[in-house]
Amino acid sequence: MGKVKVSNIRVYAHHGCLSEESIVGSEYTVDVNVETDLSKASITDDLSDTVDYVQIHLIVKEEMQIASKLLEHVAKRIIDRIITEIQMVDTVEVYVSKINPPIGGDVEKVTVVLSSKRN
């Protein structure tokens, strides 16, 4: 087994329960960790034998552009697409963070973490 991590994907999106959040938007970061068998890729040096992190990045960017009220909803959509589109992935963990959330306090970010295993 092995892991592929794509860290600190930065996006501007329009998620949130407040109407202002859907209009103005805010900054987010997304981290994705996947587990898969990397033994073949470590020998063949062939991209087709591993998880392509470019594809992970594309999935995250596309799903983050679909507005949702909850970060949990966005994270689940990202997980579902990774499991569906990248057959090599055994488990996936997604961290979606809202930078400077509008919660009336000095908070750097809030983060939702979801994970799933292939059935």
Side-chain angles (χ1 to χ4, degrees):
M1 284 302 270
K3 294 182 182 180
V4 174
K5 296 182 176 188
V6 184
S7 301
N8 204 28
I9 301 168
R10 291 176 295 278
V11 295
Y12 195 88
H14 296 82
H15 306 299
C17 293
L18 302 175
S19 59
E20 299 84 31
E21 293 176 297
S22 63
I23 296 168
V24 176
S26 57
E27 294 181 38
Y28 296 82
T29 61
V30 180
D31 299 301
V32 177
N33 301 326
V34 300
E35 290 186 13
T36 187
D37 183 355
L38 296 177
S39 59
K40 186 174 181 183
S42 68
I43 295 168
T44 66
D45 196 28
D46 190 334
L47 180 60
S48 66
D49 294 328
T50 191
V51 172
D52 185 353
Y53 49 79
V54 172
Q55 187 177 5
I56 291 173
H57 180 260
L58 178 64
I59 290 169
V60 168
K61 295 288 259 187
E62 289 177 354
E63 291 302 322
M64 287 297 290
Q65 292 312 305
I66 302 169
S68 292
K69 292 178 185 172
L70 301 178
L71 299 181
E72 293 88 340
H73 189 254
V74 181
K76 175 77 165 79
R77 287 199 323 262
I78 292 168
I79 286 171
D80 289 347
R81 279 200 53 197
I82 289 171
I83 292 287
T84 300
E85 297 179 23
I86 308 174
Q87 295 301 310
M88 291 186 65
V89 170
D90 296 316
T91 65
V92 59
E93 184 175 50
V94 173
Y95 298 70
V96 179
S97 300
K98 179 181 280 192
I99 309 303
N100 297 319
I103 61 174
D106 186 12
V107 176
E108 178 184 356
K109 64 182 175 181
V110 294
T111 303
V112 169
V113 182
L114 289 179
S115 61
S116 184
K117 291 184 178 186
R118 182 173 299 283
N119 292 336

